[in-house]
Amino acid sequence: MVAWAAMPLVKPLRALRYDAAKAGPLDDLVAPPHDVITPEKQARLLGASPYNAVRLVRPDDPDEAAGMLDDWRQTGILVRDEEPAVWVLEEEYAGADGTVRTRGGLAARVRLEPYELGRILPHERTFQKAKDTRLALLRATRTKLSPVLLLHEGEGPEPLSRPPDLEAELDGARSRLWRLGEPAVIEQALERIQGRLIIADGHHRYETALRFHQEEGSEETGHVLAVLVSRDDPGLTIFPTHRVVTGPPPELDGRFRLESLEGDAAAAIAALDRLPRDRAAFVLLRPEGAVLALADQPGLDTVVVDRLALEGVSFTASAAEAEAAVASGRARAAFLVRPPELADVEAVALSGERMPEKSTYFFPKLTSGLLFSPFDE
C-alpha cells in the first residue's frame, strides 16, 4: 500500500471555528450537512442560536451567508487557528438496532483531483442542480463549510486519553475532536492514511469544490475539508435510502416475482432483509398495500429501482417516513430497499462504475459547524 503522507494529498489545516465564549454552547451551533436539512429541522436550528451553522450551509441567499460569515469573523464569533493541525474525530451514536457504536476519523485537507487520476474515487452519481446550488455558495463564501467523508485502506487514528478540545451533540450523535498540532504528531497521524480514497459521503461537495478549483486555478483552492475513516473501522454504518414518488408507480407484473405482504413498514423491511443478497429486491408500498418484488438478476436494489424510471422522486432513510408519506396521500408510492454493504461500495468505486444517486447513507452524517476551512491556504 502507498502512504500518502509523503505526498501532498492530505495536509493539515488552519481551522476556522466557533469561540464558545462569544457564540455559546457548541450543541446550539452545529447542524447537519445541506442535503438532510428538512424545513422543520432548519426552523429548529435557526431558533437554537443566531449563530447556528445552518445559516451558512443552507442560507436563503449565498451572498447573505458570505456577509454573515465575514461578520462573525470580524466580531470574534469565529476564530482562526494560527498554526495548521489535524483533528482526531470520534463520533458516538446508536445504530438502528440500538447498539452504541463509535466511528473514528481524521479531519484534514485533501487535495482535489479528477477521478480519472485514480487516487480519489466516487461510488455514486450526483445531481447537477444540487451541485449548481453549492457552487454559488462556494463562490460567495470561499470557505469549505461541511466536510466530505472519505474511506482509506490504512489504520484509524490512535485513541487519545486526554479530554477533547471540542465536543458537540447533534440528533443523538456525539462528536469529540482532539487537535494535533505538533509537526511530528501530524506526520504520524497522516502516515496511517493509506491507499486510494473512496468518497463515502459528500460527492456533491467534492465535485463542486473541484469545479470551483478548476475555475480559480490557484493553489489556495486546491483542497477540500474531509474526514478520513479507515475502511476497517467497526463504527462504519450504512443506512438504506428509500425512494418516495409522487408519480404513478410502474406495473411490476411479469418483471418480478411478487408477494403480497401484511403489516407495517417495519414488517416489510424485515421481510426484505430475510432475502438472500444474490438477487436485487425491494418492497413497493401503495395505499392498497405492500408488495415484495424479487428480481431475476443479481445486483443492487437501488440499481433495479432506478431502471423503473420513477417520477417525482424524493429520498428518506426512514421506512416509517416513507410509509407515512404514502398513507397521508403526499406520495403515491414508496420503494423500500436494502442498504448496500461496504464491500459493494468498494467494488463499485474500484471498478470505475457508479451507483444511482442517493444509494448509500453513511450514518451518522458528518456534523457541520465543528470546523470550517477557508480557501486561502
Side-chain angles (χ1 to χ4, degrees):
M1 292 187 290
V2 179
W4 297 124
M7 307 175 69
L9 190 66
V10 184
K11 289 184 175 182
L13 70 146
R14 290 176 52 231
L16 179 69
R17 49 197 175 99
Y18 285 107
D19 180 350
K22 290 190 175 183
L26 198 52
D27 284 4
D28 296 336
L29 305 174
V30 294
H34 178 280
D35 58 325
V36 292
I37 301 175
T38 63
E40 295 77 18
K41 185 170 289 185
Q42 183 171 16
R44 177 175 62 80
L45 295 170
L46 289 172
S49 169
Y51 308 118
N52 189 280
V54 74
R55 301 173 188 273
L56 303 178
V57 301
R58 192 165 183 141
D60 293 330
D61 180 82
D63 290 331
E64 289 182 8
M68 197 173 302
L69 182 64
D70 184 61
D71 179 67
W72 292 358
R73 295 185 67 170
Q74 290 190 31
T75 56
I77 298 299
L78 293 173
V79 293
R80 189 74 181 277
D81 283 353
E82 292 293 332
E83 299 295 332
V86 295
W87 296 75
V88 173
L89 171 63
E90 179 182 279
E91 298 164 288
E92 184 178 274
Y93 65 97
D97 58 1
T99 301
V100 176
R101 295 178 171 87
T102 301
R103 185 174 71 190
L106 192 75
R109 288 186 300 149
V110 173
R111 178 170 291 280
L112 291 158
E113 294 186 347
Y115 298 143
E116 292 75 18
L117 294 183
R119 296 205 293 176
I120 300 175
L121 303 173
H123 78 266
E124 65 182 19
R125 301 193 300 260
T126 53
F127 295 109
Q128 187 59 50
K129 182 178 179 181
K131 290 189 289 186
D132 291 342
T133 299
R134 286 166 174 78
L135 183 60
L137 182 60
L138 206 54
R139 287 169 175 160
T141 63
R142 302 186 67 84
T143 301
K144 293 151 277 188
L145 300 170
S146 298
V148 175
L149 179 61
L150 300 175
L151 305 180
H152 67 92
E153 299 171 14
E155 298 178 281
E158 291 189 5
L160 299 168
S161 58
R162 61 182 170 88
D165 297 288
L166 300 175
E167 186 170 0
E169 185 168 338
L170 177 68
D171 297 333
R174 178 156 291 276
S175 299
R176 301 180 181 91
L177 280 158
W178 289 264
R179 186 179 187 276
L180 305 181
E182 293 294 328
V185 177
I186 292 174
E187 186 66 21
Q188 290 172 2
L190 294 182
E191 285 176 351
R192 301 171 77 90
I193 298 169
Q194 298 188 4
R196 287 179 285 191
L197 306 180
I198 295 176
I199 300 176
D201 187 55
H203 289 76
H204 291 87
R205 274 162 268 157
Y206 183 88
E207 292 176 18
T208 301
L210 178 60
R211 180 177 168 189
F212 179 70
H213 171 54
Q214 290 169 337
E215 287 181 356
E216 293 278 315
S218 65
E219 177 62 22
E220 289 79 7
T221 60
H223 293 79
V224 68
L225 178 62
V227 172
L228 300 109
V229 175
S230 169
R231 297 185 211 178
D232 296 324
D233 191 289
L236 281 172
T237 297
I238 306 176
F239 279 1
T241 308
H242 310 300
R243 276 63 175 145
V244 179
V245 298
T246 57
E251 291 295 329
L252 303 180
D253 291 340
R255 305 168 67 178
F256 301 92
R257 194 179 79 190
L258 305 178
E259 176 187 342
S260 297
L261 297 175
E262 300 292 335
D264 59 8
I269 288 293
L272 191 58
D273 286 340
R274 285 193 294 268
L275 296 176
R277 286 273 185 163
D278 59 347
R279 285 188 286 173
F282 59 87
V283 170
L284 171 60
L285 294 182
R286 294 174 296 185
E288 58 268 32
V291 175
L292 179 65
L294 182 63
D296 291 331
Q297 70 270 26
L300 299 173
D301 298 356
T302 54
V303 172
V304 170
V305 172
D306 188 58
R307 292 176 185 151
L308 298 176
L310 306 178
E311 299 176 14
V313 182
S314 58
F315 306 91
T316 177
S318 169
E321 286 184 8
E323 181 182 40
V326 175
S328 67
R330 291 183 284 112
R332 297 180 66 175
F335 293 79
L336 307 184
V337 296
R338 296 167 294 185
E341 297 177 329
L342 185 58
D344 298 321
V345 174
E346 294 179 356
V348 168
L350 295 175
S351 70
E353 301 294 326
R354 295 207 206 179
M355 299 178 188
E357 301 88 345
K358 300 294 182 183
S359 286
T360 56
Y361 187 121
F362 279 82
F363 183 84
K365 290 277 187 176
L366 289 171
T367 298
S368 300
L370 297 168
L371 304 172
F372 303 115
S373 182
F375 276 115
D376 63 1
E377 295 192 78

